[in-house]
Amino acid sequence: QVQLVESGGGSVQVGNSATLTCLISGRTDTPYLIGWFRQAPGKAREFVGSITWRGGASTLYADAMRGRFTVTKVYARNTVFLRIDRLQFDDTAIYYCAAGNGAKYTNWGQGTQVTVAS
């Protein structure tokens, strides 16, 4: 129905910025929300932020992410971005994008690894 592919991960210097991309294909007009999540080794998956895919561009961020994480979209190009500023070591994780409605996300990408190094 809807496929998502993340890209843009890699090794990034601490304190720098990274921009991740979520490319959406298939039934691109069906999701209401596109969300970003991350999971570090040994930790639970956590919500980062989201943006409304259709019907506007309202964003929502986890309290711990607000200020350093920014979600944007280019709807005409089926693309959602996650910008991470002032990267910290504990930002190292696999970052996933997902499509769904509200708290229910039904379609997930495979993730892209972000490794923050000195």
Side-chain angles (χ1 to χ4, degrees):
Q1 185 177 17
V2 176
Q3 293 81 46
L4 306 99
V5 178
E6 304 92 340
S7 62
S11 181
V12 187
Q13 291 284 100
V14 63
N16 285 1
S17 297
T19 300
L20 309 181
T21 299
C22 177
L23 181 62
I24 305 161
S25 61
R27 298 285 301 276
T28 59
D29 59 345
T30 58
Y32 182 72
L33 290 171
I34 303 295
W36 283 98
F37 300 78
R38 70 180 186 182
Q39 187 167 22
K43 297 182 179 179
R45 185 173 61 202
E46 61 180 337
F47 173 74
V48 175
S50 67
I51 191 166
T52 52
W53 182 241
R54 55 180 176 88
S58 298
T59 54
L60 177 68
Y61 298 97
D63 288 342
M65 312 298 175
R66 190 170 291 111
R68 296 196 302 115
F69 294 79
T70 306
V71 181
T72 58
K73 72 177 182 181
V74 181
Y75 187 83
R77 294 190 179 273
N78 301 321
T79 304
V80 175
F81 301 96
L82 173 66
R83 180 179 174 88
I84 314 171
D85 293 311
R86 303 185 302 280
L87 281 158
Q88 302 171 356
F89 289 116
D90 59 3
D91 291 327
T92 295
I94 302 175
Y95 286 76
Y96 301 88
C97 61
N101 291 275
K104 181 181 178 182
Y105 290 91
T106 56
N107 300 87
W108 294 76
Q110 294 298 307
T112 184
Q113 175 73 48
V114 174
T115 302
V116 183
S118 60

